[in-house]
Amino acid sequence: MGIKDWPSGEGPRDKLLSHGAGQLSDSELLAVVLRNGVKGLSAVQLARDLIAEFGGLRELLKASQQEVCKLSGMGPVKFAQIQAAAELSTRISAEKLKRGKILSDPDLTRDYLMRQLRDRAYEVFAILLLDSQHRVIQFVELFRGTIDSASVYPRDVVCLVLEKKAAAVIVCHNHPSGVAEPSLADRRITERLKCALATIDVSLLDHMVVGDREIVSFAERGWID
């Protein structure tokens, strides 16, 4: 049964229109995205089965096309619908970040970095380039792989900052292990970058390490003067 076939007022789409999206469960929201069920399963039942199969909505959203489409009733169209909804959410987060001064709402920054880096299976070192008013110019991924003092090149960071005419930066990277606690190597990288950026009169405002459920801020710990 597709959502359009539900009795009036009883389907998740009607519930959304009457009470707002915040009143829907994960499976009901996913059902609205999927639009239709499959033979023997309503859209909501299909959504529940998908969430249960992957162990949660977050795990479903990061699953590959091959993993999703091997399930009965799931094809490339439904996979594309799910991915499009997830990408819209990420882009909305990015727009909110760019509209405001980044330091006035640190929760926006954390939310954005979580969306960008938390579910990566590999380490990513990235940089938020800021203007003189601490508004976001651009988010750039610089390095991938094992992040240590040998793989992060301050010269590349400085070149990018000069190219984009940034006045300040926040650097960040993820820990695929899920543990956000910074390593000694992380602290060494931060000191090297701070010194390199100081030579061009650009402030390193923070280094944020993204784990599975938290972000550790060097600035909050007093590790960046």
Side-chain angles (χ1 to χ4, degrees):
M1 181 187 293
I3 284 180
K4 61 180 173 33
D5 300 315
W6 283 68
S8 179
E10 294 184 12
R13 185 181 297 160
D14 293 320
K15 185 176 177 181
L16 185 153
L17 293 173
S18 298
H19 305 292
Q23 298 302 309
L24 273 65
S25 66
D26 288 350
S27 56
E28 288 172 326
L29 284 170
L30 182 57
V32 174
V33 172
L34 293 173
R35 297 180 57 198
N36 297 301
V38 295
K39 187 175 181 179
L41 291 176
S42 70
V44 173
Q45 290 169 326
L46 175 60
R48 283 198 195 105
D49 287 353
L50 283 170
I51 292 171
E53 174 70 25
F54 288 97
L57 188 59
R58 176 183 161 199
E59 287 70 22
L60 169 61
L61 293 178
K62 69 180 183 180
S64 68
Q65 180 177 346
Q66 182 179 7
E67 291 171 324
V68 173
C69 292
K70 72 180 181 181
L71 302 177
S72 177
M74 293 300 296
V77 173
K78 280 186 166 51
F79 175 78
Q81 289 169 315
I82 294 171
Q83 290 299 304
E87 181 60 23
L88 279 172
S89 177
T90 298
R91 293 189 185 190
I92 289 169
S93 176
E95 284 185 9
K96 288 180 180 178
L97 191 66
K98 288 183 178 180
R99 282 200 298 266
K101 292 184 179 180
I102 199 168
L103 296 185
S104 64
D105 194 344
D107 288 340
L108 274 179
T109 308
R110 290 175 180 272
D111 177 68
Y112 178 74
L113 294 180
M114 274 287 192
R115 291 174 184 272
Q116 289 288 342
L117 300 176
R118 178 173 62 177
D119 292 323
R120 302 294 185 95
Y122 47 83
E123 286 191 64
V124 175
F125 186 91
I127 183 170
L128 276 168
L129 298 154
L130 312 175
D131 66 14
S132 59
Q133 300 299 312
H134 293 165
R135 294 171 299 200
V136 175
I137 298 171
Q138 192 175 349
F139 173 82
V140 181
E141 293 184 15
L142 283 175
F143 310 108
R144 295 184 179 186
T146 301
I147 304 302
D148 56 33
S149 57
S151 61
V152 175
Y153 304 107
R155 179 180 61 184
D156 293 345
V157 174
V158 168
C159 287
L160 178 64
V161 168
L162 290 172
E163 177 189 346
K164 301 297 183 180
K165 298 180 172 58
V169 302
I170 292 174
V171 297
C172 52
H173 77 281
N174 64 314
H175 283 174
S177 66
V179 179
E181 187 62 31
S183 66
L184 181 58
D186 294 338
R187 298 190 66 172
R188 287 173 177 163
I189 291 167
T190 307
E191 191 59 34
R192 290 177 62 211
L193 290 173
K194 178 184 172 184
C195 292
L197 290 167
T199 64
I200 56 170
D201 198 27
V202 170
S203 300
L204 176 61
L205 300 181
D206 206 347
H207 184 171
M208 305 180 92
V209 183
V210 180
D212 181 59
R213 297 185 181 276
E214 67 171 335
I215 291 181
V216 172
S217 161
F218 278 46
E220 289 179 359
R221 292 197 174 183
W223 293 347
I224 295 180
D225 299 324

